[in-house]
Amino acid sequence: MNAPERSEAFDERDPALPNPLPRPAGEFEALKKAWEAPRGLSFITAVNNTYVGLWYVGTAFLFFILAGILSLIMRVQLATPESDFVGHDLYNQLFTMHGTVMMFLFAVPAVEAASVYLLPNMQAARDLPFPRLSAYAFWAYFVGGLVFFCTIFFGLAPNGGWFMYPPLTGAKYSPADNADWWLLGIGFIEISAIAGAIEIIVGVMKTRAVGMSLDKMPVYSWAMLVFAAMIVIGFPAIILGTLLLEMERAFDWPFFIAERGGDPLLWQHLFWFFGHPEVYIIFLPATGMVSMIVPAMAQTPLVGYRLVVLALVATGFLSFGLWVHHMFATGLPKMSLSFFSAASTAVAVPSGIQVFAWIATIASGRMKLTTPSLFIIGFLFIFTLGGLTGVMVAMAPFDWQAHDSYFVVAHLHYVLIGGMVFPLFAAFYYWVPVASKYALSERVGRWVFGLMFVGVNVTFLPMHITGLIGMPRRVYTYPVGMGWDALNLVSTIGSFMIAAGVALFIVDFARRFRIARDENAGNVWNASTLEWLPNANYNTRSIPIVASRDPLWDQPKLSQDVQDGRYYLPGTATGGRETLVTSPFDARPQYILQVPGPGWQPLLAALFTAAFFLLLTVKMVLLSATCGVLAVFCVIWWLWETDPGPVRPPADIGGGIAVPVYATGSMNHSWWAMIVLMVVTGMVFTCLIFSYLFLWLVNPAAWPPQGTLLPEGFSPFVSCTLYVVGAALIAYASRTLRGEDRRSPRAVPVLIAAALLCVGGAAAMDLWAHWRTGLSPSAHAYGAAVYAIVSLQIFFVLTTLIMGLYTIARWLAGRLDSVRRTTFDNMMLFWFYTTGQGLVALAVVYGFPRLTGGV
Amino acid sequence: MSGRRTGQVLLMLAGLIAWAVQFTVIYGVTSTLCGREWADVTLLGVGIVHAVVALATLAALIVAALSFLGSWRIHGGLGETAAAPDRFISQAGILISGLSLVVILWQGIPAFILPACA
């Protein structure tokens, strides 16, 4: 952004601030009281982002250390040839856990956690829109992750590699529970990641400072928006994949067993459709951090803001066209491979744009060589090297040579450590002063950087050569005389240098980090964005008007005025926790969101959810089911307190603006969350239909297999009609529930109940129709695919059932009327989704085999 | 979100959406035709696989070009008093569709070099 544009924007606004001084007595105290953290044991029921964010970051870092220790054990084993430090079975578990924990329990949660802490601060929101959802996501991850990690101590850890390829991980070759721990443990932690992503999307779109229109959003917010959108599109594939593989293992439904019409390549497609975007999912937030740190260090605005946003958006798209480059060695047609080669090289362009934008920013300012700067420079060096080897392996012929060798290990560590770990350390050094009373030590920081930077290169640079001269990845030892000995020893020495760097960081952190409740270390870098405003549990005293991308540089009195309560909403309008919802493009105030406070519900719901999945792993089905029911109960208990309705008339937030304290329809934050959730579920379903079509493709002349009876046309017709009638009843109920006068007509619960009967009948009819033909889910992949689609639909119908009954209960309790109707609206959205999915499912399952005539 | 804003976002992203559709079509069709051994069909003397890739690429290029021109015209028509988000979105639209044009073309190139199902 150039200077004239900035001042022009600044001059546009009214010089008078929204709220006069002095502020009324008791206003600030009421705000503080509303945001007070719970004390004593119930401290763990805190839900606001300052607490959950820090716990979340801390837990993610714990997993970084744990997974790092696993890698050190592996490096000791490989330091010398024919070593017997660990056996092959433990080694298999070690590399599987190292990859799995680093990717699923460290990288994604770490960037998500950082944003839980940073986003509201950066956008001057008081909290994220769904703090209890963040708390739920955190606790599910914390408990689930730790239990999952502990399997390594009992020899139960998964051992099929972090990408868990069948048939190795199928029931035949991995009969023990190890693989189930991965499938159920990681599968459900993904759900926690999706919960976080929904929170982030709604948070970025709806809770920004007034005036922080799209063009003034911090790059970090853009990065997190693209990141969350990518999770929403990419993670459903792995959730579906784990579901299918678990169903194959538990019930013998042969999705991946070639003898019965399945195909192991289907797993690879599902895994990598998630797995490659995953790399960018952890890289983009890191670039967002870099784009915030570089301008602060160079003391000049970011060069090429629009180009950086373009790069983020383009990366978000293009990264979904790369997944087959992990499958170059599987024998797919060359033209297909070339499409992925082309996309893989094309994605380097937006990454390059960002790198040049940072270099240009550094060049246009005067970069101070602080610890964050050093980590940024280290990032640029290491990531660029990883990017270059990435372009090399994007070429199929080169990849065939390097595939499954240490060259790939070197490449991926350069990309991930360079692209994510170094920016994260830069972020630690940079943002600790926001959360802590003291900044970290610059002197120690230089040592941390030096050890890590040299360590990474000493460890991984030689691995390129180790790989090119033939050492395969994932071998637990190697014979003398292959020429690999010295290189491996060097790598091991390097890995301990990294460990020393990390250990030094922990010491520094323990010495210097003290959680700041009121007085943080302050704006030590003279940075320009809102997280450096004076903050506490309620975040900023008042919610500022932002006139540029660098508000603290361009509005010099901003900190003082915000702190004095001269901007919007300097107190609390409803007496409870609130944040201001703004319009998604222009960031104009829309309404006051009544934010839920501390509570046991999300914590208990998370514990029971974790217990449900973990007990299922060890086949304690009854206990697991009990925990599942309890989890649903806790969620309902939690929801019961939400959707408060207009508890008071519109409130004056300052400057003569009065906004309502409740909103429904497309303005409502939970409406947005529901839409995003529907994209998630839609992606799960799309991946399932893709799997169905894929299995059709690999089964010429057996779709359905000979002798299979197709159900008659009568039953889908009935199901179809019931779905449509059910949806129509709900639409009619919605019409009945309209009006300004807060009516709650009696027809509403009756209509919902009738619609529930319809939708339940439709799904039951569908299941019965297939069952009656004698179709077996385990005889052939056809049956497995059909029953998978039917089962998924039944799951959605059951969820609709719970939501419908819950809505009826709200009506009975007098918590639902024509104005306070968000619960109904959300149920209605989900209902329409379930109906649409049901109709498509019927069309595919009944129509497709007839359309192709069994070809 | 108003209808106008939704339209703006769609126009801004049209180039990349066109790429996504092109990619899905060319990969899906190639895999299906080759997997089912239906690739011998010809369309006006051109093998069906190559014809589909060429047509999908052309269609995506047209969409991206229209999005580029559309964003360009909108940006040119914005007055001095235009809201900053409008200015930003049209500029982003120009950049995104410009990049998309290159990526879409690049994406279609393998079809001019390689045989269909080898």
Side-chain angles (χ1 to χ4, degrees), chain A residues 62 68 159 166 168 253 300 310 321 409 539 624 650 657 705 738 774 808:
Chain A
L62 172 71
N159 50 11
L168 176 63
W253 295 13
T300 182
L310 154 85
V409 179
N539 198 1
S624 157
I657 301 177
R738 270 195 204 138
I808 293 175

Side-chain angles (χ1 to χ4, degrees), chain A residues 722 725-727 729-730 749-763 796-808 827 831:
Chain A
L722 286 173
V725 171
L729 288 173
I730 291 299
V750 179
L751 287 167
I752 297 175
L756 282 175
L757 288 176
C758 289
V759 75
F796 276 88
V797 166
L798 288 176
T799 311
T800 312
L801 195 76
I802 295 174
M803 291 175 86
L805 291 174
Y806 173 74
T807 312
I808 293 175
M827 180 211 65
W831 200 298

Side-chain angles (χ1 to χ4, degrees), chain A residues 73 76-78 80-88 90 476-478:
Chain A
I73 300 174
V76 171
Q77 163 70 14
L78 293 176
T80 51
E82 293 169 31
S83 161
D84 52 8
F85 182 64
V86 293
H88 63 90
L90 179 57
Y476 79 104
T477 191
Y478 50 91

Side-chain angles (χ1 to χ4, degrees), chain A residues 182-314:
Chain A
W182 195 98
L183 294 170
L184 290 168
I186 293 303
F188 117 85
I189 287 167
E190 299 314 295
I191 296 173
S192 152
I194 288 181
I198 293 176
E199 172 97 302
I200 288 167
I201 290 178
V202 183
V204 171
M205 295 308 289
K206 302 286 288 180
T207 58
R208 303 200 299 265
V210 177
M212 189 187 269
S213 48
L214 279 192
D215 55 302
K216 299 185 190 72
M217 244 164 53
V219 174
Y220 182 72
S221 297
W222 275 106
M224 292 316 295
L225 184 64
V226 177
F227 155 91
M230 289 176 71
I231 285 191
V232 162
I233 304 291
F235 275 38
I238 186 71
I239 288 180
L240 181 79
T242 50
L243 258 176
L244 298 186
L245 186 51
E246 190 51 41
M247 287 204 281
E248 177 181 299
R249 291 176 54 85
F251 310 124
D252 194 29
W253 295 13
F255 298 103
F256 310 107
I257 299 173
E259 301 91 81
R260 281 185 273 156
D263 190 341
L265 274 191
L266 172 60
W267 170 266
Q268 297 198 18
H269 279 292
L270 290 173
F271 185 89
W272 290 116
F273 184 77
F274 140 83
H276 198 85
E278 159 91 346
V279 177
Y280 291 90
I281 282 172
I282 59 186
F283 170 62
L284 288 187
T287 67
M289 291 170 169
V290 173
S291 292
M292 304 303 288
I293 300 172
V294 167
M297 293 304 140
Q299 290 289 298
T300 182
L302 183 72
V303 173
Y305 174 85
R306 287 172 189 78
L307 283 166
V308 171
V309 173
L310 154 85
L312 291 169
V313 175

Side-chain angles (χ1 to χ4, degrees), chain A residues 464-476:
Chain A
H464 292 103
I465 304 165
T466 326
L468 287 178
I469 61 176
M471 181 160 167
R473 68 196 284 201
R474 296 179 170 172
V475 288
Y476 79 104

